[in-house]
Amino acid sequence: MTPIGYARLIAIGELRVTPPARLAYASSSVNRRIDSESQILFPNSVAFDDTPVGHLEFALRHEGVNLEVIDAAFEHIEPGELIDRLRATPTGEQIRRACFLWEWLTGRELDAGVTIKGGYVDLFPAELYYTAPQPVRAPRFRVRNNALGTPWFCPIVHRAAIPDDPPLSDLLLEAQSALDAMQDPDLYKRALAFLYLSETRGSYAIESETPSSDKQERFVQLLRRAGEPVKVDEAWLVQLQNVIVRDVYSQEASYRNKQNWLEDAAGRVDFFPVPTGDLRRVMADWERFVNDQKHCPDLLVKAACAAFGFVYLHPFFDGNGRLHRFLIQHVLARSGLLGADTVIPVSAVMERNIPAYHAVLTAFSRPVTRLWNYRRVDTEPLVLSAPSSRAYRFFNADREVAFLYAMIKEAVREEIPREIAWLQGYDHAFALLNAEFDLPRKDLSVLIRMTQSNKGTLSAHRRKQYQHIPRAVLDRVEEVVRDAFTNHTGVSRN
């Protein structure tokens, strides 16, 4: 098989890029295009110009827009090669897109001396990609720039990766309706309090940390700031980082100015974030992406790209994971679809889906980290050579979008109803038992919780612990709790 398109560009330039999910080859074994999970096969008769520019045109036409490979390939393609091809075919759609990308990505101008005629062409085919709804026209090459971001932060999302059954906006309205349906104001407040607590504990549990009561309260207060009408910038993020880190020694005054890394339990490096030299410039355009309310209006795409983009850039030494999950709440809250105090317990659901969550993160981190050349010295890695930041700036967010949607859907359809049902079951059991027995409220509350968490029975240990209470009363507690929680669905909350 003969590599063509992006595969050939990577081979020609020996490009240090993350491998595309699928590479294209010309093969004598097929007589038409064949797509599989790992490759695209074309018959040997497929037409292409066996030059770097020719393979770039072929890739743009048949394989989509891979900004990471294209940006790397431009380091090996002379501007004159693009100009010659444009002069030969001034109406060619792919060479016009290629020339626009060269100027957009390099920041330099091509002195083509050619007047382009004909209709405008989309930079990203709108039928395949989620694109900016108001593209900017580039008249020099008659290209509509509908990219979601800038040359320093531009995530890519295919339309096929965006679930819409139901749309995210409908899910959020469904969550708010479930809360609003509670007639009792006290129950409503307690339900919100439980959701905040669930989100807080889930976010810490993901990182195998149990927060102290002080940290827990500080994170709840942080969550209450989600959606506040502020500009997302370094100063604001530093404030948030200082709230959630483990101790005062981990508080930072700015984005990091040294390289950081993550290790696994054996001390092996499993992720290098974006190189420090490019961090500030990339973060500036990440901030622009988050703050711009018009360029990427799809709420799901915005939340996924903002939150996962942040954790991939890792601008702090500590607290990045919790801030990444907070940013999901921030983007959702700014949509205006949720009540001022409503939080969607996404982290609580993620914590129950840790393997899937880690799979999304490692699908990005592993291939990116392989681009780094380093060796271990004492307690830290010595970086011999760092890659370009392009893998971080142009990440494909398909997995992230689909995963976040699944987590939000589970939170809305399962977690929130379960929390509401638990409170209703608890209130029902408490009211009945409090009317029947003259028990201290604290003891009654604990007995209900212990019985429910143990599937409707008090263990022998708990019965011994409360042996001062008559056996018949404890039997009645079990009976009432079983009935109360059976009558309210989804109450397996612990």
Side-chain angles (χ1 to χ4, degrees):
M1 297 191 297
T2 304
I4 53 179
Y6 288 129
R8 184 59 180 152
L9 287 174
I10 292 171
I12 292 173
E14 297 182 342
L15 305 182
R16 290 178 69 186
V17 295
T18 54
R22 298 189 304 169
L23 292 173
Y25 300 91
S27 172
S28 61
S29 64
V30 299
N31 56 16
R32 59 183 176 82
R33 172 174 174 155
I34 300 294
D35 292 76
S36 69
E37 290 187 3
S38 59
Q39 59 187 15
I40 311 171
L41 298 181
F42 293 87
N44 280 335
S45 59
V46 67
F48 64 91
D49 180 16
D50 193 15
T51 65
V53 173
H55 285 287
L56 175 56
E57 287 186 281
F58 181 91
L60 287 170
R61 179 181 293 111
H62 297 289
E63 299 178 73
V65 183
N66 187 314
L67 293 178
E68 182 186 356
V69 176
I70 294 170
D71 187 49
F74 281 152
E75 294 182 355
H76 304 273
I77 295 176
E78 293 296 327
E81 298 176 50
L82 292 165
I83 292 171
D84 289 346
R85 180 61 175 166
L86 181 66
R87 287 174 176 170
T89 57
T91 60
E93 291 187 2
Q94 309 313 325
I95 189 59
R96 286 157 52 199
R97 293 167 75 201
C99 288
F100 170 82
L101 282 169
W102 192 90
E103 291 194 345
W104 192 63
L105 292 170
T106 66
R108 293 180 285 162
E109 188 173 303
L110 281 173
D111 185 16
V114 176
T115 300
I116 305 299
K117 297 181 180 180
Y120 275 79
V121 60
D122 286 336
L123 178 59
F124 286 85
E127 69 276 10
L128 297 177
Y129 296 92
Y130 176 74
T131 57
Q134 297 177 342
V136 178
R137 291 193 171 200
R140 277 170 50 77
F141 303 109
R142 301 186 71 79
V143 170
R144 284 185 293 268
N145 180 7
N146 55 3
L148 291 181
T150 69
W152 281 90
F153 184 77
C154 188
I156 297 172
V157 179
H158 289 83
R159 289 193 176 274
I162 306 175
D164 61 356
D165 185 24
L168 180 60
S169 58
D170 287 1
L171 281 174
L172 298 186
L173 291 172
E174 183 180 324
Q176 191 61 51
S177 296
L179 292 166
D180 292 342
M182 290 184 290
Q183 300 298 315
D184 184 349
D186 178 65
L187 183 62
Y188 180 85
K189 290 180 182 179
R190 287 164 57 217
L192 287 178
F194 270 120
L195 293 180
Y196 277 100
L197 189 59
S198 180
E199 177 64 11
T200 298
R201 288 176 174 172
S203 194
Y204 276 92
I206 287 170
E207 299 176 28
S208 302
E209 185 177 349
T210 301
S212 65
S213 59
D214 176 62
K215 289 182 182 178
Q216 189 168 275
E217 179 56 29
R218 282 190 290 140
F219 197 82
V220 167
Q221 294 306 315
L222 175 70
L223 286 173
R224 295 189 185 281
R225 296 181 60 180
E228 62 183 0
V230 298
K231 181 181 179 182
V232 175
D233 59 14
E234 182 178 11
W236 185 73
L237 289 167
V238 165
Q239 287 180 17
L240 304 185
Q241 192 270 352
N242 288 179
V243 170
I244 64 172
V245 291
R246 294 176 177 85
D247 52 58
V248 67
Y249 305 106
S250 300
Q251 293 178 345
E252 298 176 48
S254 67
Y255 293 146
R256 59 181 168 85
N257 53 23
K258 295 181 180 179
Q259 187 60 49
N260 56 351
W261 66 93
L262 300 181
E263 296 180 347
D264 62 17
R268 293 185 293 264
V269 174
D270 57 12
F271 180 51
F272 278 108
V274 69
T276 306
D278 284 347
L279 176 64
R280 285 199 164 273
R281 189 166 183 182
V282 181
M283 283 303 298
D285 281 33
W286 174 88
E287 292 168 12
R288 178 179 174 182
F289 175 86
V290 177
N291 289 313
D292 190 332
Q293 299 300 307
K294 296 181 179 180
H295 207 65
C296 178
D298 186 281
L299 188 59
L300 176 62
V301 172
K302 184 69 164 281
C305 292
F308 282 93
F310 177 88
V311 82
Y312 295 158
L313 297 176
H314 236 65
F316 300 112
F317 282 95
D318 193 17
N320 296 285
R322 276 158 281 171
L323 281 175
H324 137 78
R325 292 183 290 276
F326 167 81
L327 285 164
I328 296 171
Q329 302 296 338
H330 183 68
V331 174
L332 296 183
R334 293 192 69 175
S335 69
L337 298 172
L338 297 170
D341 295 323
T342 301
V343 62
I344 304 297
V346 181
S347 295
V349 176
M350 286 181 174
E351 197 266 331
R352 289 202 299 273
N353 291 273
I354 284 291
Y357 184 32
H358 283 174
V360 172
L361 296 174
T362 56
F364 175 83
S365 65
R366 283 179 180 171
V368 166
T369 300
R370 292 191 189 105
L371 301 178
W372 290 72
N373 183 16
Y374 68 96
R375 60 186 175 86
R376 196 81 189 190
V377 177
D378 296 328
T379 61
E380 61 184 56
L382 173 65
V383 175
L384 304 176
S385 64
S388 161
S389 61
R390 59 177 65 95
Y392 305 83
R393 290 150 45 199
F394 305 133
F395 73 99
N396 183 315
D398 288 355
R399 289 188 187 89
E400 291 78 358
V401 167
F403 173 77
L404 181 58
Y405 178 86
M407 296 301 97
I408 294 174
K409 186 175 182 179
E410 184 175 331
V412 171
R413 294 282 173 84
E414 298 181 28
E415 186 71 11
I416 291 178
R418 179 163 43 238
E419 293 289 354
I420 293 173
W422 194 95
L423 286 172
Q424 291 172 333
Y426 172 87
D427 284 357
H428 183 65
F430 190 94
L432 285 176
L433 292 169
N434 193 47
E436 289 186 34
F437 306 111
D438 186 19
L439 291 174
R441 297 176 66 88
K442 180 181 178 181
D443 285 350
L444 182 54
S445 177
V446 171
L447 285 168
I448 292 172
R449 294 172 185 273
M450 290 191 304
T451 303
Q452 192 278 329
S453 66
N454 198 43
K455 300 180 180 179
T457 62
L458 281 167
S459 66
H461 172 71
R462 295 303 185 186
R463 281 180 172 267
K464 184 176 181 180
Q465 184 179 354
Y466 285 88
Q467 59 184 341
H468 60 281
I469 298 177
R471 181 185 182 92
V473 175
L474 297 180
D475 290 343
R476 177 59 177 160
V477 168
E478 290 181 338
E479 179 185 358
V480 170
V481 168
R482 282 195 295 267
D483 289 344
F485 284 94
T486 299
N487 291 331
H488 296 87
T489 59
V491 290
S492 59
R493 179 179 173 275
N494 292 319

